[in-house]
């Protein structure tokens, strides 16, 4: 790409997040990424170290304005009973000035914590939840 129009830079305001099909309009940030692990590989007649992919790990984070207890309601009872709910999170990003849409789904999501209570006088309520996932689907990309 030799250049781009400034308005084509994506603005996070146009992101959306759904948890098990329910739109979370209170979402303010979302991140999902896959970390790839490699093992060094030596080869005959070659001094350069090669790299063999050996595993992948999915992790992410969602940040929400505190408007209700969505995540607590979604998982607290199951977790307390020793069950892990099978959750899918889908996110799209579609800035009207950008070139298209990016949409992904992360599957078999496991939240790493439940925030029972977290507030501070004079501060706007916000919650952030880290999670892992074991599958993903790219539904649309630019």
């Amino acid at each position: 790409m030799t250049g781009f129009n400034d308005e084509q830079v994506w603005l996070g305001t146009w992101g959306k997040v759904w948890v098990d099909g329910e739109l979370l309009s209170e979402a303010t940030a979302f991140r999902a990424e896959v970390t790839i692990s490699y093992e060094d590989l030596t080869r005959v007649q070659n001094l350069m170290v090669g790299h063999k992919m050996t595993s992948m790990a999915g992790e992410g984070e969602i940040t929400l304005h505190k408007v209700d207890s969505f995540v607590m309601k979604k998982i607290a009872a199951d977790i307390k009973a020793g069950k892990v709910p099978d959750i899918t999170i889908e996110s799209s990003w579609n800035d009207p000035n950008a070139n298209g849409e990016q949409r992904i789904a992360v599957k078999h999501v496991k939240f790493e914590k439940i925030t029972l209570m977290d507030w501070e006088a004079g501060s706007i309520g916000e919650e952030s939840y880290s999670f892992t996932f074991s599958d993903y689907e790219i539904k649309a990309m630019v």
Side-chain angles (χ1 to χ4, degrees):
M1 182 174 214
T2 59
F4 63 92
N5 177 324
D6 296 347
E7 291 302 318
Q8 292 175 319
V9 177
W10 291 51
L11 182 63
T13 300
W14 304 104
K16 294 181 185 172
V17 176
W18 296 263
V19 175
D20 286 342
E22 187 171 343
L23 178 64
L24 298 184
S25 57
E26 65 270 28
T28 61
F30 179 78
R31 175 184 57 81
E33 58 191 23
V34 174
T35 302
I36 306 163
S37 296
Y38 297 90
E39 188 171 321
D40 288 354
L41 187 66
T42 56
R43 300 171 287 181
V44 298
Q45 300 296 307
N46 191 333
L47 294 174
M48 293 294 294
V49 174
H51 302 93
K52 172 71 174 173
M53 182 175 64
T54 56
S55 66
M56 297 185 296
E59 62 182 20
E61 186 172 34
I62 186 170
T63 305
L64 311 166
H65 286 302
K66 177 66 174 176
V67 296
D68 60 19
S69 301
F70 178 82
V71 174
M72 190 187 324
K73 289 178 190 175
K74 186 83 181 157
I75 67 171
D78 282 344
I79 295 297
K80 191 170 183 179
K83 299 185 288 185
V84 178
D86 189 21
I87 296 172
T88 297
I89 300 177
E90 190 165 330
S91 182
S92 75
W93 197 6
N94 189 2
D95 185 324
N97 282 311
N99 296 325
E101 175 187 24
Q102 186 169 329
R103 181 181 289 258
I104 58 100
V106 291
K107 302 173 181 181
H108 314 300
V109 170
K110 313 258 185 309
F111 285 104
E112 296 177 347
K113 69 177 181 176
I114 304 167
T115 301
L116 300 177
M117 186 79 63
D118 184 8
W119 62 271
E120 181 180 339
S123 294
I124 292 177
E126 183 178 85
E127 296 178 320
S128 183
Y129 292 96
S130 298
F131 59 85
T132 61
F133 59 92
S134 59
D135 194 11
Y136 66 92
E137 179 182 352
I138 298 170
K139 297 189 164 202
M141 74 172 108
V142 180

